[in-house]
Amino acid sequence: MLLVTGGAGFIGSNVVAALNQAGRSDVVVCDLLGTEGKWRNLAKRQLVDIVPPAELPDWLKGRKLEAMIHLGAISATTATDGDLVFETNFRLSMRLLDWCTMNAVPFIYASSAATYGDGEAGFGDDASLPALKKLRPMNLYGWSKHMFDLAVAARVANGDPLPPQWAGLKFFNVFGPNEYHKGSMMSVLARRFDDVKAGRVVQLFKSHREGIEDGDQRRDFIYVDDVVRVVMWLLATPSVSGLFNVGTGKARSFRDLMLAAYAALGTRPNIEYIDMPESIRNSYQYFTQSEVDRLCRAGYNGGFTTLEDAVKAYVGDYLDRPDRFR
């Protein structure tokens, strides 16, 4: 069997869809469905079981897994409960890493571009312990992911036991179907699409940094299909281990993102710029851009979808349809 933690979430449910499409129905999801409609992310899938996180330690006893894909986390960059975030994102991850090590199970896990903080130390894909120690995440979520990356890197540096395959994936700004339960953490495109479609004004943040125009804050936007291809490639390539950036390598502005949505619908742009809330101004990333050299050197050649093509696919296949779910 394959275990996907966070499998009812955004990236997780897309990975589960890809596994089903590849003929794998022996998939177990570890997640909480809650009351935000996350079950719809899995409504078209075939699964063995959905295991609540609290029951996972007992469920794992005596199990044999082909691989564990660990995507479950508290992923809100605005989270403030330090104890809960650390317990969920670090301590649980450590327990799962130990289980995979002891049971010789490949372990693929989600890290985050939030570990890079404001980008002052760059977005290089040097996964060595000294390089990682230079990073300064700007929020609790990013810090919790960084702590786990450091723990894994320390084991590598010390020659400590690890799973037969381990891979950490620093996801940049992922967008695509099945993100609708994320509320304020949805992509701007998903949050504002109905306004775009209806011709209502779309609001983007003004810039509060000299030399950067309003709406020109830039991110490495990556379509979820590209992320899934990387995960599937790793599952098919057990010889590859390491910590990898997963982005397109090209930073684009929020304005570009929304203009691509207007273009996909063939409608006239209607954008205005509003002040960024003071509560997030000091922790707001103005620029992210991945370096994907290590992933490519490891053998990945799946390529990445351009922003315009990705937005066109997302709009045409999902957002502009009655059923928006994969």
Side-chain angles (χ1 to χ4, degrees):
M1 290 187 295
L2 294 162
L3 175 67
V4 183
T5 75
F10 168 36
I11 297 175
S13 64
N14 278 277
V15 169
V16 171
L19 290 169
N20 273 183
Q21 289 162 6
R24 300 298 300 262
S25 59
D26 54 342
V27 179
V28 176
V29 163
C30 174
D31 212 330
L32 292 172
L33 297 180
T35 58
E36 296 86 17
K38 283 171 66 177
W39 69 272
R40 295 187 183 278
N41 290 344
L42 295 173
K44 302 171 186 177
R45 308 278 71 88
Q46 183 176 1
L47 303 169
V48 174
D49 199 1
I50 300 177
V51 181
E55 297 179 16
L56 186 58
D58 286 337
W59 185 90
L60 283 171
K61 291 177 181 177
R63 295 281 177 179
K64 292 184 178 180
L65 295 177
E66 184 177 327
M68 183 184 297
I69 306 165
H70 178 41
L71 306 175
I74 295 174
S75 60
T77 57
T78 55
T80 57
D81 188 334
D83 296 311
L84 180 61
V85 169
F86 191 76
E87 174 64 30
T88 303
N89 293 1
F90 179 80
R91 297 189 70 207
L92 173 59
S93 298
M94 290 298 295
R95 290 194 289 272
L96 295 180
L97 175 67
D98 288 341
W99 186 91
C100 287
T101 300
M102 289 186 294
N103 291 277
V105 172
F107 181 70
I108 299 169
Y109 76 91
S111 182
S112 172
T115 58
Y116 289 113
D118 63 3
E120 184 177 339
F123 300 95
D125 50 4
D126 185 344
S128 68
L129 197 56
L132 292 176
K133 286 181 176 180
K134 295 177 182 178
L135 302 183
R136 296 292 181 267
M138 298 174 69
N139 54 56
L140 177 60
Y141 163 69
W143 171 74
S144 68
K145 288 293 188 179
H146 182 54
M147 288 292 289
F148 185 67
D149 289 342
L150 285 170
V152 175
R155 292 192 179 189
V156 173
N158 295 331
D160 295 334
L162 283 164
Q165 179 190 27
W166 65 271
L169 303 178
K170 290 198 173 192
F171 297 134
F172 277 68
N173 281 71
V174 188
F175 69 100
N178 293 11
E179 62 174 318
Y180 320 118
H181 64 282
K182 293 171 66 69
S184 63
M185 291 294 107
M186 276 193 296
S187 69
V188 173
L189 175 55
R191 291 204 312 272
R192 299 290 178 251
F193 178 76
D194 289 339
D195 293 329
V196 172
K197 181 75 182 290
R200 295 187 292 266
V201 66
V202 170
Q203 296 179 331
L204 297 178
F205 285 144
K206 291 180 179 178
S207 171
H208 296 271
R209 187 172 293 182
E210 188 175 348
I212 298 177
E213 296 181 0
D214 295 341
D216 200 40
Q217 301 93 330
R218 294 176 177 253
R219 296 284 189 276
D220 191 333
F221 296 107
I222 180 169
Y223 196 42
V224 70
D225 286 12
D226 294 345
V227 167
V228 170
R229 274 197 296 273
V230 172
V231 173
M232 297 295 285
W233 173 75
L234 283 165
L235 286 172
T237 318
S239 60
V240 173
S241 292
L243 181 61
F244 304 102
N245 282 339
V246 181
T248 66
K250 295 181 180 179
R252 301 291 300 275
S253 71
F254 284 97
R255 186 192 306 111
D256 290 339
L257 179 71
M258 298 315 300
L259 290 177
Y262 284 107
L265 288 172
T267 56
R268 184 177 178 180
N270 185 13
I271 300 173
E272 71 175 18
Y273 300 96
I274 61 172
D275 286 329
M276 187 182 298
E278 291 190 15
S279 61
I280 66 172
R281 287 185 195 178
N282 292 332
S283 60
Y284 188 82
Q285 288 178 306
Y286 271 73
F287 180 87
T288 65
Q289 180 172 279
S290 67
E291 295 180 16
V292 291
D293 295 350
R294 292 191 72 250
L295 186 63
C296 294
R297 287 198 303 270
Y300 182 72
N301 60 3
F304 301 101
T305 311
T306 66
L307 180 66
E308 285 75 15
D309 286 347
V311 170
K312 183 178 180 180
Y314 190 13
V315 169
D317 296 341
Y318 299 100
L319 290 177
D320 199 29
R321 290 176 178 258
D323 181 359
R324 294 181 172 182
F325 292 87
R326 168 162 284 161

